[in-house]
Amino acid sequence: MSISLPPSTKNNIEKLQPTGWLRYFSFSLDHKVIGIQYLVCGFIFYLIGGLLAGAIRIELTSPISDFMPREVYNQVLTLHGTIMIFLWIVPVVNGAFGNYLIPFYVGARDMAFPRLNAVAFWLIPPAGLLLISSYFINGAAQSGWTAYPPLSITTPAAGQIIWIISVLLLGGSSIFGGINFIATILKLRRPGLKLMQLPMYCWAMLGTSILVVLSTPVLAGTLILLSFDIVAHTGFFNPSLGGNVIVYQHLFWFYSHPAVYIMVLPAFGLVSEILPVHSRKPLFGYTTMVYSIMAIVALGLVVWAHHMFTSGTPPWMRLFFTIATAFIAVPTGIKFFNWVATLWGGRISLNSAILFSCGFIVNFVLGGITGVALAQVPFDVHVHDTYFVVAHFHYIVYGGSVFVIFSSIYHWYPKFTGKMLNEKIGKLHFAITFIGFNLCFAPQHWLGLNGMPRRVAEYDPQFAFVNQLSSIGALLMALSTLPFLWNVLYSIFKGEESGDNPWKALTPEWLTTSPPPVENWIGEAPLVTEPYGYGEKQARKASSKPNSDQ
Amino acid sequence: MPPKTGVYAILISLALIIACIWASNNLSLLPADASSNAPIYDELFNVLFVIGTILFVGMTGLVIYSLIQFRRKPGEEGDGLAIKDNLPLEILWTAVPAVVILFVGLYSYDIYERMGGMQTLNHDVHNQHSMSSEERLWGGIGTLKEDNAEIKEFPINVELTAMQFAFLFNYPKGEIISGELHVPVGQPVSMKMESKDVIHAFWVPEFRLKQDVIPGQPTILNFTPTKTGRYPIICAELCGPYHGGMRSTVVVEEPEEYDAWFQKNSKSTEVEL
């Protein structure tokens, strides 16, 4: 197995690829450039999705529908969900960090299929623009990101069809990426590097890519059938033509539940990289961490019908999916206990990266607990499709994945740019984000329990005050992006030089220059068999004297 | 861990457990309970709330404690302890959550059975002939187990038709079509639901019940209201622009009032209750 491009091609690559800032706008084959392209592109869509979220929260500050027409409100919530999932979190936790880090971690000079990699990225901007343009053409899709028929068949067709095409393109991008990651991790490893020596993010990406490759085609097939129902008036899901709407829900959630793991498993991997570096301790329980990722992958494929407990499912099916869903908490719990054990007894630098990672742990634990509760059928029949669920999944995808994205940006920014981010502004960013996020979403649990359904533009006036609290939280979240943006943009030009390895990290991406050269290493790739080998000398010394921590 | 820390840990945990049991019983996190399965639901909610709060506060506490206790003090150099693994600990934190999950699962199964979730769904039991045996009935929650034997024969049959953006309640016996659901307190109600256009959902927060109303596939919901009053019926499945305004009211009244309402609105000449 060849491990890297032969050195002779290096010159060719440099000739073919533009250099400087221009390469970020080119069809670059460099995995690091593609990673940054994913990250920046994803962040732009995050800002757009955030504006839409702001519009939703403004509408909900009053119990009546007064800020925008009801049709537009449904378009806004559909676009918000679709953009945040398919254009921000999935491409960033997988595409951005996966592309940047995986070749380093396996000791390769690039991904297995560099051209496929570039194609996968360049599908995203047109798909995203297409999706947003649908709003200006004839109104965007109005049936939520779930696009349940028959609503998606009866609402204006143009927006829905554009939505389908755009999600198909993004799904294709995701599948290309998944194939590429599996091939790179399994086949492009440096000789001498064993699977069980890989950094944890590789395992997370391997698990995630398996989910992507197995489940995304099902979504694609489902959406193609749905588009036939809309355009050609077939009757797959149209009850007036003998179709079955529940079948759509099964097929949709067969992808869309694993999609949650596609958004959080890479985040789990990233946290596993960040915590050991800043607490100067080995990652605790490496082997159990690996097995728990694979357990989450396996269980994640057989829990989809817990989204359908009120749809009309037979009792045996409800029971099976309750048990399978609740048991995902066990491998997930193992990971959280291992992270806390990684912190325990460390020498923790309290910087922005670790604060966001710890914020993730706290938020995700709450989201996980409400998740176990929601898995219980009798509990779910009350709160299903309410703001309780909205709160739950924002604790998972925002409190979880987005916090990890910020943590990762603080951690790897010196690697990307060779500059440090300002720590004071970083901590301010964390404080506003954490407070704003919890103020926005914690009260929504109460709203759901007490009778506020989701996806409504108007609601019972008794919920006005709590909704206003939530909107203030959303405002803080919006404001929190300002110090972050300033920090990131200012530091590119005027940030403190970071040197090659400011965190004294041992994972392979830090064992080269920052930013790294085109093919990652000047010479041969280093063989890193202990990516978490922190603290060993210290422990031998420390063992001789009494230790107060034990 | 020195013994002193252990004692503190146990004391803090105990205080936490007592505090959240108190909180779950005294804070109103849920609306009024107005159906026979609402108190059962609240029992489950309280158990989950106590377990969940202990886990959440415990984990958060551990994270905050670690960040403070093990933070790098100014001038400190060097690494933390090189502890990579601990098999007994790994087994412990695999086994304990597994046991908790198993307990929660079995307990919620019990709750579900008491709500009647495992019952075969029946509708219109003394009019069996009117339903073709071919007809598929989906989902919902069955009648209450303990009530089953005695009152099963006299459930009030209602047919719900949902459409953009209204609920229509049809009482086949009195040929009544109403925009509000009237039910007598203490009597089981069996509702057969079908949608005319898109998917809707019938939700009464005070009953702790929700069931999607699906086009092309009837669904069943059985419940027994226990407290008189007017409660909101809310559509809980995105059904179009006016989804948020798709609401109605369920009026739970004393049997006499219900009879009076029924007689007044009934169109059929021979009414038997």
Side-chain angles (χ1 to χ4, degrees):
Chain A
M1 197 68 232
S2 73
I3 49 144
S4 55
L5 298 169
S8 60
T9 58
K10 194 183 162 196
N11 293 331
N12 286 336
I13 285 182
E14 274 177 355
K15 265 178 224 157
L16 284 168
Q17 304 287 321
T19 48
W21 60 271
L22 211 59
R23 69 201 150 129
Y24 293 106
F25 296 89
S26 73
F27 193 82
S28 172
L29 304 184
D30 184 343
H31 71 98
K32 299 180 289 299
V33 174
I34 295 174
I36 300 295
Q37 286 174 329
Y38 267 109
L39 184 60
V40 174
C41 172
F43 196 82
I44 291 167
F45 283 115
Y46 168 65
L47 294 178
I48 297 170
L51 279 179
L52 296 168
I56 293 174
R57 284 315 321 169
I58 292 171
E59 175 66 76
L60 293 177
T61 47
S62 69
I64 50 167
S65 169
D66 52 3
F67 178 64
M68 54 186 144
R70 292 175 171 83
E71 289 83 2
V72 176
Y73 181 81
N74 285 357
Q75 294 172 26
V76 166
L77 68 87
T78 304
L79 285 177
H80 165 72
T82 312
I83 288 174
M84 289 303 203
I85 292 168
F86 292 109
L87 290 160
W88 159 235
I89 297 179
V90 171
V92 169
V93 292
N94 291 279
F97 294 105
N99 271 302
Y100 204 99
L101 298 173
I102 293 293
F104 282 112
Y105 285 174
V106 300
R109 296 200 187 275
D110 209 310
M111 294 286 286
F113 311 114
R115 275 179 187 79
L116 186 68
N117 203 15
V119 170
F121 169 72
W122 281 107
L123 282 173
I124 291 178
L129 292 177
L130 187 65
L131 181 69
I132 292 163
S133 71
S134 69
Y135 174 81
F136 301 99
I137 293 170
N138 203 1
Q142 312 185 8
S143 54
W145 84 279
T146 49
Y148 276 9
L151 184 63
S152 51
I153 300 173
T154 52
T155 44
Q160 196 64 51
I161 287 293
I162 293 176
W163 180 88
I164 289 174
I165 294 169
S166 151
V167 172
L168 285 176
L169 289 174
L170 296 167
S173 157
S174 193
I175 295 171
F176 293 162
I179 293 168
N180 216 342
F181 287 127
I182 293 176
T184 308
I185 294 167
L186 293 181
K187 290 293 173 194
L188 227 58
R189 280 197 319 284
R190 186 195 191 290
L193 187 60
K194 296 189 183 73
L195 275 176
M196 290 304 274
Q197 294 167 338
L198 288 174
M200 193 55 60
Y201 184 59
C202 292
W203 283 103
M205 282 309 296
L206 185 62
T208 308
S209 302
I210 291 171
L211 284 177
V212 166
V213 171
L214 287 180
S215 61
T216 318
V218 176
L219 176 75
T222 313
L223 293 184
I224 289 170
L225 294 183
L226 183 65
S227 69
F228 288 166
D229 275 9
I230 295 169
V231 180
H233 305 289
T234 53
F236 295 107
F237 307 123
N238 190 345
S240 58
L241 296 171
N244 187 319
V245 294
I246 302 294
V247 172
Y248 173 87
Q249 298 182 9
H250 277 293
L251 293 170
F252 177 82
W253 288 113
F254 183 82
Y255 164 77
S256 296
H257 193 77
V260 178
Y261 298 99
I262 293 167
M263 289 186 272
V264 300
L265 274 179
F268 288 180
L270 293 167
V271 166
S272 304
E273 303 306 329
I274 294 164
L275 289 181
V277 174
H278 298 283
S279 51
R280 309 310 299 171
K281 267 193 69 195
L283 181 66
F284 199 87
Y286 179 92
T287 318
T288 36
M289 294 285 248
V290 171
Y291 285 118
S292 53
I293 285 177
M294 290 306 160
I296 293 171
V297 169
L299 282 171
L301 281 170
V302 290
V303 298
W304 74 88
H306 67 220
H307 295 270
M308 303 167 56
F309 284 155
T310 69
S311 298
T313 35
W316 70 264
M317 200 190 269
R318 292 174 162 191
L319 265 184
F320 172 78
F321 283 103
T322 290
I323 295 163
T325 307
F327 265 96
I328 288 195
V330 176
T332 313
I334 292 172
K335 300 192 74 70
F336 281 80
F337 289 121
N338 276 313
W339 287 326
V340 173
T342 304
L343 291 172
W344 193 270
R347 279 270 164 84
I348 305 168
S349 312
L350 284 181
N351 53 31
S352 315
I354 204 120
L355 286 175
F356 268 106
S357 279
C358 290
F360 149 79
I361 294 179
V362 170
N363 294 334
F364 196 95
V365 165
L366 184 56
I369 288 167
T370 53
V372 171
L374 283 168
Q376 314 302 322
V377 180
F379 186 87
D380 184 67
V381 291
H382 175 47
V383 291
H384 180 76
D385 263 328
T386 69
Y387 259 88
F388 189 89
V389 174
V390 174
H392 158 72
F393 69 72
H394 280 96
Y395 267 87
I396 297 295
V397 292
Y398 196 101
S401 305
V402 178
F403 268 65
V404 172
I405 292 171
F406 283 128
S407 178
S408 305
I409 292 173
Y410 283 102
H411 181 72
W412 278 290
Y413 189 86
K415 177 60 25 193
F416 298 159
T417 61
K419 301 281 171 62
M420 298 299 283
L421 283 170
N422 184 315
E423 266 304 314
K424 274 191 185 135
I425 301 174
K427 282 174 186 161
L428 177 75
H429 173 215
F430 168 76
I432 307 177
T433 312
F434 190 77
I435 294 167
F437 167 75
N438 279 289
L439 184 61
C440 182
F441 292 108
Q444 295 181 357
H445 291 109
W446 183 87
L447 287 175
L449 284 167
N450 283 276
M452 181 164 165
R454 62 190 280 208
R455 295 169 162 177
V456 291
E458 54 215 301
Y459 55 83
D460 191 323
Q462 61 160 319
F463 301 130
F465 174 68
V466 179
N467 269 297
Q468 283 153 8
L469 273 186
S470 181
S471 294
I472 294 170
L475 178 67
L476 284 178
M477 287 165 79
L479 290 178
S480 77
T481 50
L482 297 178
F484 173 75
L485 273 176
W486 191 83
N487 200 357
V488 166
L489 296 175
Y490 179 83
S491 302
I492 288 178
F493 303 105
K494 303 220 166 151
E496 189 191 326
E497 294 289 330
S498 68
D500 288 344
N501 191 355
W503 313 123
K504 300 193 188 69
L506 297 178
T507 39
E509 82 275 25
W510 295 102
L511 307 179
T512 179
T513 54
S514 294
V518 169
E519 290 192 330
N520 297 347
W521 291 281
I522 304 295
E524 206 184 323
L527 176 64
V528 178
T529 55
E530 274 203 76
Y532 307 114
Y534 303 105
E536 280 175 309
K537 283 170 202 158
Q538 174 87 8
R540 274 185 221 113
K541 274 185 223 156
S543 61
S544 58
K545 45 184 177 178
N547 197 318
S548 60
D549 296 330
Q550 283 294 296
Chain B
M1 209 184 267
K4 221 176 169 184
T5 323
V7 172
Y8 282 139
I10 291 168
L11 282 179
I12 291 170
S13 319
L14 275 178
L16 187 60
I17 292 169
I18 293 165
C20 55
I21 289 174
W22 178 86
S24 70
N25 287 319
N26 288 285
L27 298 179
S28 73
L29 292 168
L30 289 160
D33 53 329
S35 82
S36 54
N37 61 359
I40 309 175
Y41 179 93
D42 295 359
E43 212 179 289
L44 172 69
F45 178 83
N46 285 346
V47 169
L48 292 175
F49 181 78
V50 170
I51 297 175
T53 312
I54 291 168
L55 280 174
F56 176 67
V57 176
M59 281 298 274
T60 309
L62 277 175
V63 170
I64 294 172
Y65 176 83
S66 307
L67 285 183
I68 294 170
Q69 181 69 21
F70 305 115
R71 75 184 185 280
R72 181 180 295 272
K73 283 133 202 146
E76 259 184 350
E77 286 296 314
D79 285 6
L81 299 163
I83 316 163
K84 279 188 195 164
D85 220 334
N86 187 326
L87 191 61
L89 263 182
E90 297 284 353
I91 292 171
L92 180 77
W93 61 50
T94 311
V96 171
V99 170
V100 172
I101 293 292
L102 207 60
F103 164 75
V104 168
L106 289 173
Y107 181 69
S108 88
Y109 175 78
D110 179 54
I111 292 281
Y112 190 46
E113 210 178 13
R114 281 162 64 195
M115 284 182 177
M118 296 309 289
Q119 303 275 312
T120 331
L121 288 167
N122 291 312
H123 177 75
D124 210 359
V125 267
H126 48 290
N127 254 333
Q128 285 288 355
H129 58 274
S130 72
M131 263 165 45
S132 87
S133 56
E134 298 282 297
E135 192 172 14
R136 280 180 302 177
L137 285 176
W138 289 63
I141 263 185
T143 37
L144 266 178
K145 209 181 176 189
E146 47 261 56
D147 296 358
N148 240 5
E150 306 133 45
I151 4 181
K152 199 178 176 180
E153 293 139 57
F154 311 108
I156 292 172
N157 289 312
V158 184
E159 287 171 11
L160 161 63
T161 308
M163 66 199 72
Q164 285 170 328
F165 297 91
F167 296 105
L168 277 188
F169 300 95
N170 175 24
Y171 294 71
K173 233 180 258 162
E175 289 178 34
I176 300 172
I177 291 179
S178 165
E180 279 186 343
L181 176 62
H182 282 254
V183 284
V185 66
Q187 265 222 59
V189 179
S190 180
M191 219 162 50
K192 187 178 170 189
M193 314 193 286
E194 199 165 352
S195 168
K196 279 199 162 169
D197 36 47
V198 300
I199 304 173
H200 303 275
F202 173 92
W203 179 33
V204 180
E206 283 77 4
F207 290 179
R208 314 282 192 273
L209 272 183
K210 183 183 294 113
Q211 173 60 48
D212 286 6
V213 187
I214 300 163
Q217 265 170 199
T219 50
I220 297 288
L221 197 62
N222 294 308
F223 56 88
T224 310
T226 54
K227 275 186 194 150
T228 54
R230 297 171 68 85
Y231 308 108
I233 296 170
I234 300 163
C235 175
E237 184 70 58
L238 180 63
C239 59
Y242 288 83
H243 167 53
M246 184 167 165
R247 301 163 70 93
S248 177
T249 309
V250 49
V251 185
V252 182
E253 38 198 8
E254 295 296 339
E256 306 82 57
E257 291 172 59
Y258 170 74
D259 287 347
W261 172 84
F262 194 90
Q263 296 291 355
K264 196 179 140 206
N265 291 283
S266 177
K267 287 194 189 76
S268 60
T269 41
E270 287 169 53
V271 179
E272 25 152 354
L273 285 168

